[in-house]
Amino acid sequence: MSRLNVTRRGVIKTGAAAGAGLALPTYLSAASHSGFTNAPTGDTVTLGFNVPQTGPYADEGLDELRAQELAVQHLNGEGDGGMLNTFSSKALQGNGILGKKVQFVTGDTQTKSDAARASAKSMIEKDGAIMINGGSSSGVAVAVQGLCQEAGVIFMAGLTHANDTTGKDKKANGFRHFFNAYMSGAALAPVLANAYGKDRRAYHLTADYNWGWTQQESIQASTEAMGWETVNNVLTPLAATDFSSYIAPVLNSGADVLVLNHYGGNMVNSLTNAVQFGLRDKMVNGKQFEIVVPLYSELMAAGAGANIKGVLGSMNWNWQLQDEGTKAFVKSFGEKYGRPPSNSAHTCYAQVLLYADAVARAGSFNPCAVVEALEGFEFDGLGNGPTLYRADDHQCFKDVLVVRGAENPTTEFDTLEIVEITPRAQVEYAPDHPMFAGGALGSCNPGA
């Protein structure tokens, strides 16, 4: 991976020493008298990029890190500026953030909540990170968001799709640009009904952690509302690599649709096993058996290869969109890395820019000023059309994509095709919706 002309202060240790105790930060910058954690005093400001560099979501983490480095480059006035040129807000000038050059440190979440908290804690306490961005798991996002709330820094979530992140586990110091499981259900259900009919029997395999639970709940609710029946829901461990024993019972269940509430390597392996068992060639209840993958990524699609042909799912964003922001980002990313960005890369890039822009508009790094600047912020030019950061729960609302596996991809990067761009209004919901009930946003914590 190419490196930027920024200070990279090393990969953070996530061993026992780094993880011992998760109390509030004991290390603060020399400017703790300024009233907030890690207030920058010199000519630089440090951001913490916490991504899975190992584990089942490592491919997503690598692409997130690529995008985060690119965002730092653009903030510092290097390269072509990317989405800074299309972003509706013009507060950023390409001279860092409030004139301070941006530098960064990184950590490995390992897709484990404890490891993710430990690496975030180390970046905050030892390296003076004033904002944490990244992650490819909702379990990790909820854990790190809680840590950042306690520490008094801003958490700009990466790839986290569970309803809980901006539902029962929402925090005032945390913000999510990525869409959520409810939105996937709301966008997918009409397309599934049109493609497969309203008289279907669905069998769910679900990753056994908070993302899988809320994804399954959302898809079940949206499909049952249009007439589908749910035959069974079976939980599978995140560490699983062979799903054969979970696929076999589907054959005798009476189901004619398999919904794979899996992500990353889990989805690649479970879909591969399902195809090996011949599910897609079966006729059940007088209907062609179908498979649905509610949450897609380009990296997963490339890993699954021909097995995804015709399989429907949803995405937060796709590099094939034709808005000016997407085209600018794809150009910058492609020139730097020789490949188009994934939707996990896109959301991390956007989150870094949104944080920097909020600081610039607020004229302060104080996290409470940043919160005020982001709550209710409406913007455009970062892909997905006009977008709102809702004040009630810090969830972004924007258009959602329904995609399917391409029948005739020309490269490893166009294995998904956009079926429908679901308008934002179709995926919006009230802040007190039952799927998001419990918990309170609370108040911003500036830390020191």
Side-chain angles (χ1 to χ4, degrees):
M1 184 188 306
S2 56
R3 295 296 177 198
L4 307 177
N5 295 321
V6 297
T7 304
R8 187 175 185 276
R9 294 161 63 183
V11 176
I12 304 305
K13 296 179 180 178
T14 56
L22 292 172
L24 300 187
T26 53
Y27 169 88
L28 301 176
S29 75
S32 59
H33 65 272
S34 297
F36 59 96
T37 299
N38 293 335
T41 56
D43 56 4
T44 63
V45 60
T46 301
L47 308 182
F49 298 148
N50 207 23
V51 304
Q53 299 180 47
T54 57
Y57 296 168
D59 287 345
E60 304 286 346
L62 174 59
D63 222 38
E64 288 180 333
L65 190 55
R66 292 185 183 116
Q68 290 160 334
E69 293 189 7
L70 184 62
V72 169
Q73 181 180 15
H74 290 163
L75 290 175
N76 286 332
E78 302 163 12
D80 63 10
M83 281 185 170
L84 287 183
N85 300 315
T86 61
F87 189 15
S88 57
S89 175
K90 302 302 178 185
L92 295 167
Q93 304 300 315
N95 62 344
I97 306 176
L98 294 184
K100 297 181 184 295
K101 188 171 185 179
V102 182
Q103 59 186 23
F104 66 91
V105 291
T106 71
D108 181 8
T109 70
Q110 304 174 43
T111 316
K112 297 176 181 176
S113 297
D114 288 347
R117 278 181 64 101
S119 57
K121 180 174 184 287
S122 183
M123 285 187 277
I124 295 167
E125 296 187 6
K126 298 180 180 178
D127 297 287
I130 197 168
M131 182 273 276
I132 302 294
N133 167 250
S136 293
S137 155
S138 291
V140 161
V142 167
V144 174
Q145 182 167 259
L147 183 280
C148 289
Q149 180 70 35
E150 297 165 6
V153 302
I154 294 294
F155 175 59
M156 300 295 282
L159 194 163
T160 167
H161 189 241
N163 293 336
D164 293 350
T165 308
T166 46
K168 70 180 182 64
D169 294 307
K170 59 185 174 288
K171 302 293 183 188
N173 283 41
F175 291 84
R176 170 164 60 179
H177 172 266
F178 208 71
F179 73 148
N180 58 42
Y182 174 91
M183 296 175 181
S184 285
L188 266 177
V191 178
L192 294 175
N194 184 58
Y196 305 142
K198 297 182 179 181
D199 181 22
R200 283 285 184 164
R201 306 186 77 218
Y203 192 112
H204 292 249
L205 292 182
T206 299
D208 191 12
Y209 73 106
N210 68 337
W211 168 70
W213 307 330
T214 65
Q215 174 65 87
Q216 193 279 329
E217 177 189 28
S218 298
I219 295 298
Q220 178 174 334
S222 63
T223 54
E224 287 184 352
M226 66 184 187
W228 286 25
E229 177 187 348
T230 303
V231 174
N232 202 358
N233 176 42
V234 177
L235 300 179
T236 62
L238 185 59
T241 56
D242 185 349
F243 293 87
S244 300
S245 63
Y246 298 100
I247 299 294
V250 179
L251 295 167
N252 300 314
S253 68
D256 47 46
V257 176
L258 174 61
V259 181
L260 295 175
N261 300 298
H262 288 156
Y263 195 76
N266 288 164
M267 172 270 177
V268 171
N269 292 329
S270 62
L271 178 59
T272 299
N273 289 155
V275 172
Q276 289 170 342
F277 270 77
L279 285 184
R280 299 195 69 189
D281 301 322
K282 301 288 184 183
M283 292 292 293
V284 180
N285 304 325
K287 305 177 182 70
Q288 181 69 46
F289 195 97
E290 302 290 353
I291 299 176
V292 177
V293 175
L295 179 61
Y296 257 129
S297 83
E298 302 88 341
L299 301 173
M300 289 161 48
N307 292 332
I308 66 160
K309 288 185 177 182
V311 175
L312 287 164
S314 68
M315 291 184 76
N316 182 65
W317 173 89
N318 184 278
W319 68 271
Q320 297 170 94
L321 288 169
Q322 291 302 302
D323 61 277
E324 293 306 310
T326 292
K327 288 192 288 187
F329 179 51
V330 170
K331 176 179 180 291
S332 295
F333 194 97
E335 289 178 351
K336 184 170 179 62
Y337 300 113
R339 57 187 295 152
S342 65
N343 71 162
S344 56
H346 168 256
T347 205
C348 281
Y349 177 92
Q351 285 281 70
V352 174
L353 262 56
L354 285 164
Y355 169 79
D357 174 75
V359 172
R361 288 187 293 109
S364 173
F365 287 98
N366 188 310
C368 293
V370 174
V371 168
E372 186 175 349
L374 282 172
E375 286 185 340
F377 179 48
E378 296 199 49
F379 58 92
D380 202 349
L382 298 186
N384 301 87
T387 303
L388 167 69
Y389 240 134
R390 187 161 69 179
D392 301 83
D393 49 13
H394 298 181
Q395 172 66 54
C396 263
F397 289 89
K398 56 191 183 299
D399 295 347
V400 169
L401 306 183
V402 176
V403 298
R404 69 179 163 216
E407 292 292 341
N408 298 295
T410 57
T411 73
E412 64 180 299
F413 305 115
D414 66 349
T415 52
L416 294 172
E417 59 186 15
I418 299 171
V419 174
E420 183 170 305
I421 299 175
T422 305
R424 169 176 142 187
Q426 185 177 318
V427 301
E428 290 176 333
Y429 53 87
D432 60 352
H433 187 284
M435 286 189 188
F436 298 83
L441 190 65
S443 301
C444 166
N445 176 24

